[in-house]
Amino acid sequence: MLSDFMIRAALAGVGLALACAPLGCFVVWRRMAYYGDATAHAALLGVALSLAFSLPLVPSVVLVALAMAAAISTLSGRQAVDTMLGVMAHSALAAGLVAVSFLHGVRSDLSAWLFGDLLAVTRADLVVIWAGAGAVVALIFWRWSRLLLATLSPEMAVADGISPRVEQWVLNLALALVVAVGIRIVGALLISAMLIIPAAAARPLARSPEAMVAATALTGTAASLGGLAAAWHLDTPAGPTIICAAAVIFVLATALSLGRRTA
């Protein structure tokens, strides 16, 4: 069955959707959209590091993403947060593009790292994607109650013996893993959209955090499969088409929510 590249692409898209679902909810709840962008853009430096020194891709991207998170944490409070994240996100992306340009034979494949190349996913990629997705889901649900309390009320978390800073680093690690496994599917420029848009679409329709995670997983899966089918029929890039499908679902969910309020 896995000899069919469309089946492999569909499995990869579903794996990414499942990995993004719980993490995307926390990104939306904590308003970490720009933080996710900075981490995703820094991933291109990890790609350059991997290609230059023949290192495994996932550990290289995770290492650079965590370094970006450490830099953001260190500089927090010295600049306005949105300004600092904007500077670091775009600087990391530019540095990654410059670094990749020095590597021979990579320029022609640069669009694949920026926008993904879902249809080129191999069986080995599938193993990495699903292993990474499993690790992210296990990590989030292992720390679920602590993460939720630290998100809703950091003061109550501290009173209960929970360190909000530790829980932030749990999210940093999960975010780095998602970026590492998702860069092959939707690229460094669009991975944060896969985190944010399905969760934003599910938020007005869910009545509990657990329900929002489930709805986000369904939304992301529908966007992945629907976008892949549309890309096949319209002959469009698979990664951007998946994000467009997620955006359409977001518009429909928002319209449904507004309709409920006015009813």
Side-chain angles (χ1 to χ4, degrees), residues 128-147:
V128 172
I129 290 166
W130 277 88
V136 169
V137 171
L139 179 62
I140 294 294
F141 281 100
W142 171 49
R143 308 289 294 188
W144 177 259
S145 59
R146 292 172 173 265
L147 283 169

Side-chain angles (χ1 to χ4, degrees), residues 36-82:
D37 273 338
T39 304
H41 290 174
L44 206 57
L45 282 172
V47 171
L49 179 68
S50 171
L51 296 175
F53 297 100
S54 300
L55 300 174
L57 176 65
V58 172
S60 300
V61 173
V62 169
L63 178 64
V64 172
L66 290 177
M68 171 63 78
I72 292 172
S73 298
T74 301
L75 296 176
S76 293
R78 301 185 183 184
Q79 292 279 351
V81 175
D82 58 341

Side-chain angles (χ1 to χ4, degrees), residues 61-106:
V61 173
V62 169
L63 178 64
V64 172
L66 290 177
M68 171 63 78
I72 292 172
S73 298
T74 301
L75 296 176
S76 293
R78 301 185 183 184
Q79 292 279 351
V81 175
D82 58 341
T83 301
M84 179 187 65
L85 288 176
V87 169
M88 297 193 70
H90 294 96
S91 298
L93 178 60
L97 291 171
V98 171
V100 170
S101 71
F102 285 112
L103 303 177
H104 298 292
V106 177

Side-chain angles (χ1 to χ4, degrees), residues 1-260:
M1 180 181 69
L2 293 183
S3 62
D4 188 334
F5 71 95
M6 285 296 289
I7 298 295
R8 293 197 300 270
L11 289 174
V14 171
L16 179 61
L18 296 179
C20 287
L23 180 59
C25 291
F26 281 104
V27 168
V28 169
W29 292 332
R30 287 175 171 245
R31 299 180 180 179
M32 291 172 57
Y34 285 121
Y35 192 99
D37 273 338
T39 304
H41 290 174
L44 206 57
L45 282 172
V47 171
L49 179 68
S50 171
L51 296 175
F53 297 100
S54 300
L55 300 174
L57 176 65
V58 172
S60 300
V61 173
V62 169
L63 178 64
V64 172
L66 290 177
M68 171 63 78
I72 292 172
S73 298
T74 301
L75 296 176
S76 293
R78 301 185 183 184
Q79 292 279 351
V81 175
D82 58 341
T83 301
M84 179 187 65
L85 288 176
V87 169
M88 297 193 70
H90 294 96
S91 298
L93 178 60
L97 291 171
V98 171
V100 170
S101 71
F102 285 112
L103 303 177
H104 298 292
V106 177
R107 288 190 181 185
S108 60
D109 297 326
L110 190 57
S111 63
W113 298 113
L114 292 175
F115 304 107
D117 192 5
L118 181 57
L119 299 181
V121 167
T122 65
R123 295 187 184 188
D125 291 331
L126 272 183
V127 172
V128 172
I129 290 166
W130 277 88
V136 169
V137 171
L139 179 62
I140 294 294
F141 281 100
W142 171 49
R143 308 289 294 188
W144 177 259
S145 59
R146 292 172 173 265
L147 283 169
L148 198 58
L149 184 57
T151 298
L152 297 176
S153 177
E155 294 80 8
M156 289 184 63
V158 171
D160 204 33
I162 298 171
S163 170
R165 187 173 181 83
V166 170
E167 303 312 315
Q168 177 63 53
W169 274 103
V170 170
L171 290 178
N172 291 344
L173 177 58
L175 184 59
L177 284 171
V178 165
V179 169
V181 301
I183 194 170
R184 286 279 291 163
I185 301 175
V186 292
L189 295 184
L190 297 176
I191 182 61
S192 59
M194 197 65 187
L195 283 165
I196 299 165
I197 298 177
R203 187 173 191 175
L205 304 178
R207 296 187 177 183
S208 70
E210 293 79 8
M212 182 172 165
V213 171
T216 301
L218 290 175
T219 299
T221 299
S224 295
L225 297 179
L228 184 60
W232 173 260
H233 289 292
L234 300 175
D235 193 24
T236 54
T241 307
I242 287 174
I243 302 303
C244 288
V248 170
I249 296 175
F250 170 76
V251 171
L252 294 175
T254 302
L256 179 60
S257 176
L258 292 175
R260 286 181 176 180

